[in-house]
Amino acid sequence: MQLEESEKLAVSEEIPRAGPRLSQPERTARTRRRLLEATLELVAERGYERTSLAAIGERAGYSRGVVNHCFGSKAALLAELVAFMFGRWDHAQLRPALEGRVGVEALVATINAVRRQAHENPVELRAFYALLFEGLGPIPELRPRFVDFHRRLRAETARLIAKGIEAGSLRPEIDAEAQAGLFVGAFRGAMYQWLLDPEAVDLDSLLDEQIRMIECALRAP
């Protein structure tokens, strides 16, 4: 799958630099990353509408003019932020967890990757959900990005389920595409409930129960 520039940034910026001197492209990438991280934090705290370019620049340690210079507009910055989050989740969390796994093992690994993200980076998760629901109303241009992301996620999940059926570890009568939709919907709903009311919702219990349901409903006897 070809990566957007912001998805590449999410991956490449994780690689430490050997020396203190950075090239101009490296300095530009660092500036963009700081601005994206600042935007992510502010969206998680305030929502998109209440996050200004001036606040983003201040949080990142730059002026508003730097934000305009790097991204051109708030809408363009937001679009790149979404791609940045998608890329970081895919490459830092999901792909390593799924390597060499299909069927139930792949589904459980996905749930545990979601669990790790929730506990290790709740700010990014909150920003993700804030933007996810903005795409239904105030920011309609976000909708196709989230639609594409979830279509790819469901398609990959269905592929892993189908591979499990072929390998004989999952029940042969399973509808892979339908189960993929249910699977994504279950953990997506669990995460949203937890973010909304963390004192009353035990995320780990919900995800553990989802794993038990997968084992009971999908694994071949």
Side-chain angles (χ1 to χ4, degrees):
M1 185 182 300
Q2 189 171 3
L3 300 180
E4 296 183 23
E5 286 303 316
S6 47
E7 291 177 318
K8 293 177 183 177
L9 176 62
V11 179
S12 64
E13 282 292 288
E14 300 294 337
I15 302 173
R17 302 301 179 185
R21 295 179 64 84
L22 299 178
S23 66
Q24 182 59 44
E26 288 172 331
R27 289 195 297 272
T28 300
R30 182 178 61 181
T31 299
R32 293 173 74 89
R33 181 183 175 86
R34 286 180 178 174
L35 292 170
L36 289 169
E37 294 282 6
T39 307
L40 188 154
E41 292 172 5
L42 289 168
V43 168
E45 293 170 12
R46 308 175 183 180
Y48 170 75
E49 292 295 339
R50 296 173 60 192
T51 297
S52 67
L53 293 180
I56 292 168
E58 182 179 359
R59 176 67 63 94
Y62 301 110
S63 67
R64 173 177 178 162
V66 173
V67 184
N68 281 321
H69 176 74
C70 285
F71 298 100
S73 68
K74 186 178 176 182
L77 170 58
L78 181 62
E80 187 151 347
L81 174 63
V82 172
F84 176 77
M85 289 192 293
F86 290 170
R88 186 150 69 177
W89 156 252
D90 188 28
H91 292 273
Q93 297 283 352
L94 191 57
R95 290 196 187 191
L98 292 178
E99 188 172 359
R101 295 183 170 94
V102 298
V104 169
E105 287 70 27
L107 299 181
V108 171
T110 300
I111 292 172
N112 286 328
V114 167
R115 190 197 309 267
R116 281 193 302 275
Q117 185 189 35
H119 291 308
E120 294 174 5
N121 200 348
V123 172
E124 183 163 336
L125 191 66
R126 182 172 293 278
F128 176 90
Y129 275 83
L131 294 174
L132 175 65
F133 288 102
E134 293 273 11
L136 289 175
I139 318 174
E141 59 268 27
L142 281 180
R143 183 175 179 273
R145 294 179 176 272
F146 281 100
V147 166
D148 178 67
F149 173 74
H150 283 92
R151 283 179 179 175
R152 287 189 289 166
L153 181 58
R154 289 194 303 271
E156 177 62 11
T157 302
R159 186 187 70 81
L160 294 170
I161 291 173
K163 287 288 186 181
I165 295 172
E166 291 175 11
S169 64
L170 297 183
R171 296 177 182 273
E173 70 273 15
I174 289 171
D175 182 328
E177 291 187 5
Q179 287 294 334
L182 289 172
F183 173 77
V184 173
F187 76 70
R188 186 66 76 227
M191 302 290 271
Y192 177 64
Q193 291 182 73
W194 174 68
L195 287 169
L196 201 61
D197 190 8
E199 293 183 1
V201 176
D202 185 335
L203 178 63
D204 287 311
S205 293
L206 292 181
L207 296 180
D208 287 343
E209 188 60 29
Q210 185 179 2
I211 290 173
R212 283 191 288 270
M213 291 173 65
I214 289 169
E215 291 279 357
C216 292
L218 303 185
R219 192 179 286 279

mmCIF file of all heavy atoms in Angstrom, residues 44-93:
data_model
loop_
_atom_site.group_PDB
_atom_site.id
_atom_site.type_symbol
_atom_site.label_atom_id
_atom_site.label_comp_id
_atom_site.label_asym_id
_atom_site.label_seq_id
_atom_site.Cartn_x
_atom_site.Cartn_y
_atom_site.Cartn_z
ATOM 1 N N ALA A 44 -7.543 16.912 20.888
ATOM 2 C CA ALA A 44 -7.976 16.030 21.973
ATOM 3 C C ALA A 44 -8.512 16.828 23.156
ATOM 4 O O ALA A 44 -9.468 16.411 23.815
ATOM 5 C CB ALA A 44 -6.814 15.148 22.421
ATOM 6 N N GLU A 45 -7.909 17.985 23.422
ATOM 7 C CA GLU A 45 -8.316 18.803 24.570
ATOM 8 C C GLU A 45 -9.544 19.658 24.283
ATOM 9 O O GLU A 45 -10.430 19.785 25.130
ATOM 10 C CB GLU A 45 -7.163 19.732 24.969
ATOM 11 C CG GLU A 45 -5.947 19.010 25.519
ATOM 12 C CD GLU A 45 -4.764 19.958 25.669
ATOM 13 O OE1 GLU A 45 -4.959 21.197 25.570
ATOM 14 O OE2 GLU A 45 -3.635 19.463 25.874
ATOM 15 N N ARG A 46 -9.589 20.269 23.073
ATOM 16 C CA ARG A 46 -10.578 21.309 22.803
ATOM 17 C C ARG A 46 -11.559 20.988 21.682
ATOM 18 O O ARG A 46 -12.578 21.657 21.539
ATOM 19 C CB ARG A 46 -9.870 22.613 22.403
ATOM 20 C CG ARG A 46 -8.788 23.071 23.353
ATOM 21 C CD ARG A 46 -8.083 24.302 22.802
ATOM 22 N NE ARG A 46 -6.990 24.737 23.642
ATOM 23 C CZ ARG A 46 -6.224 25.794 23.382
ATOM 24 N NH1 ARG A 46 -6.455 26.501 22.285
ATOM 25 N NH2 ARG A 46 -5.240 26.132 24.201
ATOM 26 N N GLY A 47 -11.214 20.007 20.845
ATOM 27 C CA GLY A 47 -11.973 19.791 19.631
ATOM 28 C C GLY A 47 -11.415 20.622 18.497
ATOM 29 O O GLY A 47 -10.609 21.545 18.709
ATOM 30 N N TYR A 48 -11.843 20.322 17.288
ATOM 31 C CA TYR A 48 -11.285 20.978 16.101
ATOM 32 C C TYR A 48 -11.662 22.452 16.023
ATOM 33 O O TYR A 48 -10.815 23.313 15.767
ATOM 34 C CB TYR A 48 -11.764 20.256 14.844
ATOM 35 C CG TYR A 48 -11.444 20.975 13.563
ATOM 36 C CD1 TYR A 48 -10.150 20.982 13.058
ATOM 37 C CD2 TYR A 48 -12.437 21.663 12.861
ATOM 38 C CE1 TYR A 48 -9.845 21.645 11.882
ATOM 39 C CE2 TYR A 48 -12.140 22.328 11.685
ATOM 40 C CZ TYR A 48 -10.854 22.315 11.200
ATOM 41 O OH TYR A 48 -10.553 22.985 10.037
ATOM 42 N N GLU A 49 -12.932 22.781 16.236
ATOM 43 C CA GLU A 49 -13.413 24.142 16.040
ATOM 44 C C GLU A 49 -12.723 25.132 16.972
ATOM 45 O O GLU A 49 -12.482 26.284 16.598
ATOM 46 C CB GLU A 49 -14.935 24.195 16.246
ATOM 47 C CG GLU A 49 -15.735 23.463 15.181
ATOM 48 C CD GLU A 49 -15.596 24.099 13.807
ATOM 49 O OE1 GLU A 49 -15.230 25.291 13.727
ATOM 50 O OE2 GLU A 49 -15.845 23.406 12.802
ATOM 51 N N ARG A 50 -12.371 24.704 18.173
ATOM 52 C CA ARG A 50 -11.770 25.603 19.158
ATOM 53 C C ARG A 50 -10.243 25.574 19.114
ATOM 54 O O ARG A 50 -9.589 26.146 19.976
ATOM 55 C CB ARG A 50 -12.281 25.251 20.561
ATOM 56 C CG ARG A 50 -13.776 25.466 20.729
ATOM 57 C CD ARG A 50 -14.250 24.957 22.068
ATOM 58 N NE ARG A 50 -13.593 25.626 23.174
ATOM 59 C CZ ARG A 50 -13.655 25.217 24.438
ATOM 60 N NH1 ARG A 50 -14.336 24.107 24.751
ATOM 61 N NH2 ARG A 50 -13.036 25.883 25.401
ATOM 62 N N THR A 51 -9.685 24.895 18.135
ATOM 63 C CA THR A 51 -8.237 24.835 17.972
ATOM 64 C C THR A 51 -7.825 25.797 16.856
ATOM 65 O O THR A 51 -8.135 25.577 15.694
ATOM 66 C CB THR A 51 -7.783 23.407 17.626
ATOM 67 O OG1 THR A 51 -8.102 22.534 18.721
ATOM 68 C CG2 THR A 51 -6.287 23.365 17.389
ATOM 69 N N SER A 52 -7.134 26.850 17.223
ATOM 70 C CA SER A 52 -6.729 27.861 16.246
ATOM 71 C C SER A 52 -5.302 27.612 15.767
ATOM 72 O O SER A 52 -4.512 26.924 16.429
ATOM 73 C CB SER A 52 -6.810 29.254 16.874
ATOM 74 O OG SER A 52 -5.837 29.383 17.907
ATOM 75 N N LEU A 53 -4.975 28.208 14.627
ATOM 76 C CA LEU A 53 -3.608 28.098 14.117
ATOM 77 C C LEU A 53 -2.616 28.747 15.070
ATOM 78 O O LEU A 53 -1.489 28.262 15.242
ATOM 79 C CB LEU A 53 -3.518 28.743 12.740
ATOM 80 C CG LEU A 53 -4.274 28.059 11.600
ATOM 81 C CD1 LEU A 53 -4.085 28.828 10.297
ATOM 82 C CD2 LEU A 53 -3.827 26.618 11.434
ATOM 83 N N ALA A 54 -3.032 29.846 15.700
ATOM 84 C CA ALA A 54 -2.147 30.518 16.654
ATOM 85 C C ALA A 54 -1.845 29.604 17.838
ATOM 86 O O ALA A 54 -0.699 29.509 18.297
ATOM 87 C CB ALA A 54 -2.786 31.814 17.134
ATOM 88 N N ALA A 55 -2.868 28.909 18.322
ATOM 89 C CA ALA A 55 -2.676 28.000 19.453
ATOM 90 C C ALA A 55 -1.780 26.827 19.068
ATOM 91 O O ALA A 55 -0.956 26.367 19.873
ATOM 92 C CB ALA A 55 -4.022 27.492 19.951
ATOM 93 N N ILE A 56 -1.941 26.336 17.838
ATOM 94 C CA ILE A 56 -1.103 25.229 17.364
ATOM 95 C C ILE A 56 0.358 25.658 17.311
ATOM 96 O O ILE A 56 1.247 24.956 17.795
ATOM 97 C CB ILE A 56 -1.579 24.756 15.976
ATOM 98 C CG1 ILE A 56 -2.957 24.100 16.087
ATOM 99 C CG2 ILE A 56 -0.568 23.780 15.369
ATOM 100 C CD1 ILE A 56 -3.634 23.874 14.740
ATOM 101 N N GLY A 57 0.609 26.828 16.719
ATOM 102 C CA GLY A 57 1.968 27.317 16.648
ATOM 103 C C GLY A 57 2.578 27.520 18.019
ATOM 104 O O GLY A 57 3.726 27.137 18.270
ATOM 105 N N GLU A 58 1.796 28.103 18.930
ATOM 106 C CA GLU A 58 2.289 28.340 20.290
ATOM 107 C C GLU A 58 2.604 27.029 20.994
ATOM 108 O O GLU A 58 3.648 26.896 21.651
ATOM 109 C CB GLU A 58 1.247 29.128 21.084
ATOM 110 C CG GLU A 58 1.690 29.463 22.503
ATOM 111 C CD GLU A 58 0.654 30.273 23.258
ATOM 112 O OE1 GLU A 58 -0.404 30.597 22.657
ATOM 113 O OE2 GLU A 58 0.881 30.566 24.439
ATOM 114 N N ARG A 59 1.728 26.041 20.873
ATOM 115 C CA ARG A 59 1.962 24.758 21.537
ATOM 116 C C ARG A 59 3.225 24.081 20.992
ATOM 117 O O ARG A 59 3.962 23.435 21.745
ATOM 118 C CB ARG A 59 0.741 23.854 21.345
ATOM 119 C CG ARG A 59 0.866 22.439 21.900
ATOM 120 C CD ARG A 59 0.949 22.417 23.435
ATOM 121 N NE ARG A 59 -0.260 22.936 24.055
ATOM 122 C CZ ARG A 59 -1.295 22.182 24.448
ATOM 123 N NH1 ARG A 59 -1.253 20.859 24.282
ATOM 124 N NH2 ARG A 59 -2.345 22.746 25.016
ATOM 125 N N ALA A 60 3.473 24.229 19.694
ATOM 126 C CA ALA A 60 4.640 23.591 19.084
ATOM 127 C C ALA A 60 5.915 24.408 19.246
ATOM 128 O O ALA A 60 7.006 23.918 18.941
ATOM 129 C CB ALA A 60 4.376 23.356 17.595
ATOM 130 N N GLY A 61 5.774 25.661 19.708
ATOM 131 C CA GLY A 61 6.946 26.502 19.870
ATOM 132 C C GLY A 61 7.268 27.335 18.643
ATOM 133 O O GLY A 61 8.401 27.809 18.490
ATOM 134 N N TYR A 62 6.273 27.548 17.781
ATOM 135 C CA TYR A 62 6.472 28.324 16.564
ATOM 136 C C TYR A 62 5.407 29.414 16.475
ATOM 137 O O TYR A 62 4.499 29.493 17.308
ATOM 138 C CB TYR A 62 6.365 27.436 15.318
ATOM 139 C CG TYR A 62 7.347 26.299 15.272
ATOM 140 C CD1 TYR A 62 6.913 24.982 15.425
ATOM 141 C CD2 TYR A 62 8.700 26.516 15.060
ATOM 142 C CE1 TYR A 62 7.810 23.919 15.376
ATOM 143 C CE2 TYR A 62 9.603 25.466 15.007
ATOM 144 C CZ TYR A 62 9.146 24.169 15.171
ATOM 145 O OH TYR A 62 10.035 23.137 15.124
ATOM 146 N N SER A 63 5.497 30.233 15.440
ATOM 147 C CA SER A 63 4.490 31.255 15.204
ATOM 148 C C SER A 63 3.387 30.702 14.307
ATOM 149 O O SER A 63 3.542 29.651 13.675
ATOM 150 C CB SER A 63 5.118 32.474 14.516
ATOM 151 O OG SER A 63 5.532 32.127 13.202
ATOM 152 N N ARG A 64 2.291 31.425 14.249
ATOM 153 C CA ARG A 64 1.203 31.042 13.359
ATOM 154 C C ARG A 64 1.662 31.018 11.912
ATOM 155 O O ARG A 64 1.223 30.197 11.113
ATOM 156 C CB ARG A 64 0.033 32.017 13.520
ATOM 157 C CG ARG A 64 -1.079 31.806 12.503
ATOM 158 C CD ARG A 64 -2.242 32.727 12.744
ATOM 159 N NE ARG A 64 -3.273 32.549 11.731
ATOM 160 C CZ ARG A 64 -4.531 32.954 11.870
ATOM 161 N NH1 ARG A 64 -4.910 33.552 12.975
ATOM 162 N NH2 ARG A 64 -5.396 32.760 10.904
ATOM 163 N N GLY A 65 2.596 31.931 11.567
ATOM 164 C CA GLY A 65 3.089 31.985 10.205
ATOM 165 C C GLY A 65 3.771 30.706 9.771
ATOM 166 O O GLY A 65 3.693 30.319 8.603
ATOM 167 N N VAL A 66 4.431 30.026 10.709
ATOM 168 C CA VAL A 66 5.079 28.755 10.387
ATOM 169 C C VAL A 66 4.031 27.709 10.027
ATOM 170 O O VAL A 66 4.221 26.904 9.113
ATOM 171 C CB VAL A 66 5.963 28.277 11.556
ATOM 172 C CG1 VAL A 66 6.496 26.874 11.298
ATOM 173 C CG2 VAL A 66 7.115 29.245 11.775
ATOM 174 N N VAL A 67 2.903 27.708 10.743
ATOM 175 C CA VAL A 67 1.829 26.751 10.450
ATOM 176 C C VAL A 67 1.316 26.984 9.034
ATOM 177 O O VAL A 67 1.151 26.040 8.256
ATOM 178 C CB VAL A 67 0.674 26.885 11.469
ATOM 179 C CG1 VAL A 67 -0.388 25.824 11.210
ATOM 180 C CG2 VAL A 67 1.195 26.785 12.896
ATOM 181 N N ASN A 68 1.062 28.237 8.689
ATOM 182 C CA ASN A 68 0.586 28.554 7.335
ATOM 183 C C ASN A 68 1.616 28.185 6.283
ATOM 184 O O ASN A 68 1.275 27.680 5.206
ATOM 185 C CB ASN A 68 0.256 30.044 7.232
ATOM 186 C CG ASN A 68 -1.091 30.384 7.837
ATOM 187 O OD1 ASN A 68 -2.048 29.633 7.687
ATOM 188 N ND2 ASN A 68 -1.165 31.504 8.534
ATOM 189 N N HIS A 69 2.885 28.436 6.589
ATOM 190 C CA HIS A 69 3.945 28.135 5.630
ATOM 191 C C HIS A 69 4.040 26.638 5.359
ATOM 192 O O HIS A 69 4.229 26.215 4.214
ATOM 193 C CB HIS A 69 5.284 28.654 6.158
ATOM 194 C CG HIS A 69 6.451 28.302 5.288
ATOM 195 N ND1 HIS A 69 6.687 28.925 4.080
ATOM 196 C CD2 HIS A 69 7.430 27.365 5.435
ATOM 197 C CE1 HIS A 69 7.764 28.399 3.525
ATOM 198 N NE2 HIS A 69 8.244 27.451 4.319
ATOM 199 N N CYS A 70 3.899 25.829 6.412
ATOM 200 C CA CYS A 70 4.053 24.372 6.267
ATOM 201 C C CYS A 70 2.841 23.711 5.631
ATOM 202 O O CYS A 70 2.981 22.760 4.856
ATOM 203 C CB CYS A 70 4.320 23.738 7.637
ATOM 204 S SG CYS A 70 5.997 23.999 8.256
ATOM 205 N N PHE A 71 1.651 24.190 5.967
ATOM 206 C CA PHE A 71 0.443 23.471 5.555
ATOM 207 C C PHE A 71 -0.506 24.281 4.675
ATOM 208 O O PHE A 71 -1.357 23.702 4.009
ATOM 209 C CB PHE A 71 -0.311 22.977 6.793
ATOM 210 C CG PHE A 71 0.473 22.005 7.612
ATOM 211 C CD1 PHE A 71 1.133 22.413 8.762
ATOM 212 C CD2 PHE A 71 0.579 20.679 7.224
ATOM 213 C CE1 PHE A 71 1.875 21.514 9.523
ATOM 214 C CE2 PHE A 71 1.316 19.780 7.972
ATOM 215 C CZ PHE A 71 1.969 20.199 9.124
ATOM 216 N N GLY A 72 -0.403 25.594 4.711
ATOM 217 C CA GLY A 72 -1.237 26.418 3.851
ATOM 218 C C GLY A 72 -2.564 26.827 4.444
ATOM 219 O O GLY A 72 -3.023 27.932 4.239
ATOM 220 N N SER A 73 -3.194 25.924 5.188
ATOM 221 C CA SER A 73 -4.490 26.223 5.788
ATOM 222 C C SER A 73 -4.763 25.236 6.921
ATOM 223 O O SER A 73 -4.116 24.191 7.021
ATOM 224 C CB SER A 73 -5.608 26.122 4.752
ATOM 225 O OG SER A 73 -5.777 24.768 4.341
ATOM 226 N N LYS A 74 -5.736 25.582 7.739
ATOM 227 C CA LYS A 74 -6.124 24.695 8.825
ATOM 228 C C LYS A 74 -6.711 23.397 8.277
ATOM 229 O O LYS A 74 -6.474 22.307 8.821
ATOM 230 C CB LYS A 74 -7.143 25.399 9.730
ATOM 231 C CG LYS A 74 -7.507 24.627 10.984
ATOM 232 C CD LYS A 74 -8.480 25.428 11.841
ATOM 233 C CE LYS A 74 -8.926 24.637 13.061
ATOM 234 N NZ LYS A 74 -9.917 25.386 13.876
ATOM 235 N N ALA A 75 -7.471 23.496 7.195
ATOM 236 C CA ALA A 75 -8.065 22.297 6.600
ATOM 237 C C ALA A 75 -6.996 21.337 6.091
ATOM 238 O O ALA A 75 -7.089 20.121 6.273
ATOM 239 C CB ALA A 75 -9.014 22.684 5.471
ATOM 240 N N ALA A 76 -5.949 21.893 5.456
ATOM 241 C CA ALA A 76 -4.864 21.046 4.959
ATOM 242 C C ALA A 76 -4.094 20.409 6.110
ATOM 243 O O ALA A 76 -3.679 19.243 6.038
ATOM 244 C CB ALA A 76 -3.927 21.865 4.091
ATOM 245 N N LEU A 77 -3.887 21.170 7.189
ATOM 246 C CA LEU A 77 -3.224 20.634 8.376
ATOM 247 C C LEU A 77 -4.038 19.489 8.963
ATOM 248 O O LEU A 77 -3.495 18.439 9.327
ATOM 249 C CB LEU A 77 -3.045 21.743 9.402
ATOM 250 C CG LEU A 77 -2.592 21.335 10.814
ATOM 251 C CD1 LEU A 77 -1.275 20.588 10.775
ATOM 252 C CD2 LEU A 77 -2.480 22.574 11.701
ATOM 253 N N LEU A 78 -5.342 19.670 9.028
ATOM 254 C CA LEU A 78 -6.207 18.630 9.582
ATOM 255 C C LEU A 78 -6.150 17.366 8.739
ATOM 256 O O LEU A 78 -6.068 16.249 9.270
ATOM 257 C CB LEU A 78 -7.641 19.148 9.656
ATOM 258 C CG LEU A 78 -8.668 18.183 10.250
ATOM 259 C CD1 LEU A 78 -8.325 17.862 11.692
ATOM 260 C CD2 LEU A 78 -10.067 18.770 10.156
ATOM 261 N N ALA A 79 -6.188 17.526 7.417
ATOM 262 C CA ALA A 79 -6.127 16.365 6.529
ATOM 263 C C ALA A 79 -4.822 15.599 6.737
ATOM 264 O O ALA A 79 -4.808 14.366 6.771
ATOM 265 C CB ALA A 79 -6.251 16.815 5.076
ATOM 266 N N GLU A 80 -3.722 16.342 6.898
ATOM 267 C CA GLU A 80 -2.445 15.667 7.102
ATOM 268 C C GLU A 80 -2.380 15.019 8.483
ATOM 269 O O GLU A 80 -1.765 13.965 8.651
ATOM 270 C CB GLU A 80 -1.290 16.649 6.920
ATOM 271 C CG GLU A 80 0.055 15.959 6.951
ATOM 272 C CD GLU A 80 1.117 16.670 6.131
ATOM 273 O OE1 GLU A 80 0.771 17.558 5.336
ATOM 274 O OE2 GLU A 80 2.295 16.323 6.303
ATOM 275 N N LEU A 81 -3.018 15.632 9.471
ATOM 276 C CA LEU A 81 -3.050 15.032 10.805
ATOM 277 C C LEU A 81 -3.746 13.678 10.776
ATOM 278 O O LEU A 81 -3.283 12.709 11.387
ATOM 279 C CB LEU A 81 -3.768 15.965 11.785
ATOM 280 C CG LEU A 81 -3.993 15.395 13.189
ATOM 281 C CD1 LEU A 81 -2.664 15.119 13.886
ATOM 282 C CD2 LEU A 81 -4.861 16.334 14.020
ATOM 283 N N VAL A 82 -4.861 13.601 10.067
ATOM 284 C CA VAL A 82 -5.591 12.342 9.976
ATOM 285 C C VAL A 82 -4.724 11.269 9.321
ATOM 286 O O VAL A 82 -4.623 10.142 9.817
ATOM 287 C CB VAL A 82 -6.913 12.535 9.202
ATOM 288 C CG1 VAL A 82 -7.579 11.197 8.926
ATOM 289 C CG2 VAL A 82 -7.856 13.436 9.997
ATOM 290 N N ALA A 83 -4.073 11.618 8.211
ATOM 291 C CA ALA A 83 -3.192 10.655 7.553
ATOM 292 C C ALA A 83 -2.023 10.266 8.448
ATOM 293 O O ALA A 83 -1.589 9.113 8.467
ATOM 294 C CB ALA A 83 -2.676 11.242 6.242
ATOM 295 N N PHE A 84 -1.506 11.220 9.208
ATOM 296 C CA PHE A 84 -0.413 10.973 10.143
ATOM 297 C C PHE A 84 -0.827 9.954 11.203
ATOM 298 O O PHE A 84 -0.096 9.003 11.499
ATOM 299 C CB PHE A 84 -0.015 12.297 10.788
ATOM 300 C CG PHE A 84 1.041 12.195 11.854
ATOM 301 C CD1 PHE A 84 2.372 12.019 11.523
ATOM 302 C CD2 PHE A 84 0.700 12.322 13.188
ATOM 303 C CE1 PHE A 84 3.354 11.953 12.509
ATOM 304 C CE2 PHE A 84 1.667 12.252 14.177
ATOM 305 C CZ PHE A 84 3.000 12.067 13.829
ATOM 306 N N MET A 85 -2.020 10.129 11.767
ATOM 307 C CA MET A 85 -2.495 9.192 12.789
ATOM 308 C C MET A 85 -2.738 7.810 12.201
ATOM 309 O O MET A 85 -2.386 6.791 12.801
ATOM 310 C CB MET A 85 -3.773 9.733 13.446
ATOM 311 C CG MET A 85 -3.546 10.923 14.341
ATOM 312 S SD MET A 85 -4.991 11.319 15.376
ATOM 313 C CE MET A 85 -6.159 11.849 14.130
ATOM 314 N N PHE A 86 -3.332 7.761 11.000
ATOM 315 C CA PHE A 86 -3.564 6.476 10.349
ATOM 316 C C PHE A 86 -2.242 5.747 10.123
ATOM 317 O O PHE A 86 -2.116 4.547 10.380
ATOM 318 C CB PHE A 86 -4.265 6.675 9.001
ATOM 319 C CG PHE A 86 -5.696 7.139 9.088
ATOM 320 C CD1 PHE A 86 -6.363 7.553 7.944
ATOM 321 C CD2 PHE A 86 -6.366 7.171 10.302
ATOM 322 C CE1 PHE A 86 -7.682 7.979 8.001
ATOM 323 C CE2 PHE A 86 -7.681 7.613 10.371
ATOM 324 C CZ PHE A 86 -8.335 8.009 9.220
ATOM 325 N N GLY A 87 -1.248 6.489 9.616
ATOM 326 C CA GLY A 87 0.032 5.867 9.327
ATOM 327 C C GLY A 87 0.726 5.370 10.575
ATOM 328 O O GLY A 87 1.310 4.282 10.588
ATOM 329 N N ARG A 88 0.677 6.141 11.644
ATOM 330 C CA ARG A 88 1.349 5.729 12.880
ATOM 331 C C ARG A 88 0.680 4.496 13.476
ATOM 332 O O ARG A 88 1.356 3.584 13.942
ATOM 333 C CB ARG A 88 1.364 6.884 13.883
ATOM 334 C CG ARG A 88 2.160 6.559 15.122
ATOM 335 C CD ARG A 88 2.785 7.775 15.723
ATOM 336 N NE ARG A 88 1.820 8.696 16.314
ATOM 337 C CZ ARG A 88 2.194 9.807 16.954
ATOM 338 N NH1 ARG A 88 3.478 10.119 17.066
ATOM 339 N NH2 ARG A 88 1.282 10.616 17.470
ATOM 340 N N TRP A 89 -0.651 4.454 13.467
ATOM 341 C CA TRP A 89 -1.354 3.282 13.979
ATOM 342 C C TRP A 89 -1.022 2.045 13.153
ATOM 343 O O TRP A 89 -0.708 0.985 13.690
ATOM 344 C CB TRP A 89 -2.857 3.543 13.972
ATOM 345 C CG TRP A 89 -3.704 2.299 13.912
ATOM 346 C CD1 TRP A 89 -4.430 1.858 12.847
ATOM 347 C CD2 TRP A 89 -3.895 1.332 14.946
ATOM 348 N NE1 TRP A 89 -5.062 0.687 13.166
ATOM 349 C CE2 TRP A 89 -4.758 0.331 14.442
ATOM 350 C CE3 TRP A 89 -3.424 1.219 16.249
ATOM 351 C CZ2 TRP A 89 -5.152 -0.766 15.189
ATOM 352 C CZ3 TRP A 89 -3.813 0.128 17.011
ATOM 353 C CH2 TRP A 89 -4.670 -0.857 16.472
ATOM 354 N N ASP A 90 -1.055 2.204 11.834
ATOM 355 C CA ASP A 90 -0.841 1.066 10.948
ATOM 356 C C ASP A 90 0.568 0.496 11.104
ATOM 357 O O ASP A 90 0.750 -0.715 11.241
ATOM 358 C CB ASP A 90 -1.081 1.502 9.501
ATOM 359 C CG ASP A 90 -1.068 0.333 8.528
ATOM 360 O OD1 ASP A 90 -1.400 -0.783 8.939
ATOM 361 O OD2 ASP A 90 -0.726 0.543 7.358
ATOM 362 N N HIS A 91 1.565 1.358 11.109
ATOM 363 C CA HIS A 91 2.952 0.884 11.068
ATOM 364 C C HIS A 91 3.561 0.648 12.443
ATOM 365 O O HIS A 91 4.408 -0.233 12.594
ATOM 366 C CB HIS A 91 3.809 1.871 10.263
ATOM 367 C CG HIS A 91 3.460 1.886 8.816
ATOM 368 N ND1 HIS A 91 4.016 1.014 7.906
ATOM 369 C CD2 HIS A 91 2.590 2.648 8.114
ATOM 370 C CE1 HIS A 91 3.507 1.249 6.712
ATOM 371 N NE2 HIS A 91 2.642 2.231 6.811
ATOM 372 N N ALA A 92 3.157 1.421 13.442
ATOM 373 C CA ALA A 92 3.758 1.252 14.770
ATOM 374 C C ALA A 92 3.010 0.251 15.625
ATOM 375 O O ALA A 92 3.591 -0.362 16.532
ATOM 376 C CB ALA A 92 3.816 2.608 15.486
ATOM 377 N N GLN A 93 1.725 0.052 15.357
ATOM 378 C CA GLN A 93 0.910 -0.806 16.216
ATOM 379 C C GLN A 93 0.407 -2.049 15.488
ATOM 380 O O GLN A 93 0.693 -3.171 15.881
ATOM 381 C CB GLN A 93 -0.292 -0.014 16.762
ATOM 382 C CG GLN A 93 0.072 1.160 17.651
ATOM 383 C CD GLN A 93 0.467 0.740 19.051
ATOM 384 O OE1 GLN A 93 0.336 -0.415 19.425
ATOM 385 N NE2 GLN A 93 0.957 1.689 19.825
#
